Amino acid sequence: MKALFTAIFCIFFGANVIPAEPDKDALKKLAAHIGKTFWSPPEKRLVRATTYQKGKDGSGSRKNISNSTISLRYATAKEAGTLAVPHWLPRGSMVKIQTQQGVYAYIASDNGGDVDNRKAAHSSGKTIEQRGATVLDFCAPKQLWPDFIIVEIYYYAGKVPFDKLSLEDQKTLFAYAMEYVTKRE
């Protein structure tokens, strides 16, 4: 019975499933398509790390999902999550964040006015650096880090813009993100 349920679940919801580990052939295909360098070397930056929760259907409760082909997702120890970023940070960029529960990777898959206007940093920042911090909005069930935290940003460096990648290529990039982050530890 459990196997039947799993099979039905995969049939109906398989389009949004991102494997925990990337398929090596898919990774080679992606590298041939966008180049061997997916992300730049990391840049450390103080950010105001806010969170939002995905909707019940997994597609997201955010209204501004632009050209979304990857549904909103929470990060796990093996899979990258999604985040909304300011306009200057390219979609497809990766952010590595340290928590007490471990390291998580997030892929910039959306942008929006709330992160651009930095209201969260202005209103809650206690120092000049905090009030000037970039706001990143992580898709997470709860906040596992302090409001202001130093993260590592890996700018998307693919030759093809992230939003022009096929759904399969985007899934491969998400699947590879956590592996990439743990290799750099």
Side-chain angles (χ1 to χ4, degrees):
M1 183 71 166
K2 188 174 181 180
L4 178 62
F5 176 79
T6 303
I8 291 170
F9 182 83
C10 287
I11 290 169
F12 285 111
F13 299 104
N16 288 326
V17 173
I18 297 176
E21 293 186 17
D23 175 338
K24 298 300 179 196
D25 290 334
L27 199 55
K28 287 180 186 176
K29 180 183 163 217
L30 179 62
H33 184 60
I34 70 170
K36 292 183 181 183
T37 304
F38 296 172
W39 297 288
S40 71
E43 169 190 294
K44 291 186 179 194
R45 184 182 283 244
L46 175 70
V47 300
R48 169 62 165 98
T50 59
T51 61
Y52 63 92
Q53 295 182 357
K54 64 183 179 179
K56 292 179 185 177
D57 63 355
S59 64
S61 55
R62 292 177 56 91
K63 295 176 185 167
N64 296 359
I65 299 299
S66 51
N67 302 324
S68 179
T69 52
I70 294 287
S71 63
L72 298 177
R73 54 187 297 106
Y74 299 144
T76 67
K78 295 186 178 187
E79 294 182 358
T82 56
L83 80 148
V85 298
H87 70 280
W88 56 263
L89 186 56
R91 290 180 65 199
S93 296
M94 180 174 48
V95 175
K96 174 180 154 183
I97 188 167
Q98 295 272 1
T99 72
Q100 290 181 346
Q101 291 75 19
V103 175
Y104 291 100
Y106 285 85
I107 301 290
S109 62
D110 188 26
N111 50 17
D114 289 342
V115 292
D116 276 323
N117 70 29
R118 298 178 24 264
K119 185 176 179 182
H122 288 292
S123 63
S124 63
K126 293 179 175 59
T127 66
I128 293 171
E129 292 81 15
Q130 289 178 347
R131 285 190 294 277
T134 296
V135 174
L136 299 180
D137 204 2
F138 296 82
C139 184
K142 61 182 179 176
Q143 190 161 322
L144 301 172
W145 47 77
D147 289 345
F148 290 92
I149 187 167
I150 294 176
V151 299
E152 290 183 21
I153 298 175
Y154 299 76
Y155 293 90
Y156 178 70
K159 294 177 184 175
V160 176
F162 179 78
D163 59 347
K164 302 289 185 207
L165 296 177
S166 70
L167 179 59
E168 290 307 312
D169 285 346
Q170 287 184 10
K171 286 180 181 181
T172 301
L173 193 68
F174 266 79
Y176 182 60
M178 211 46 222
E179 181 181 324
Y180 185 84
V181 164
T182 54
K183 281 181 181 178
R184 296 191 58 94
E185 285 283 301

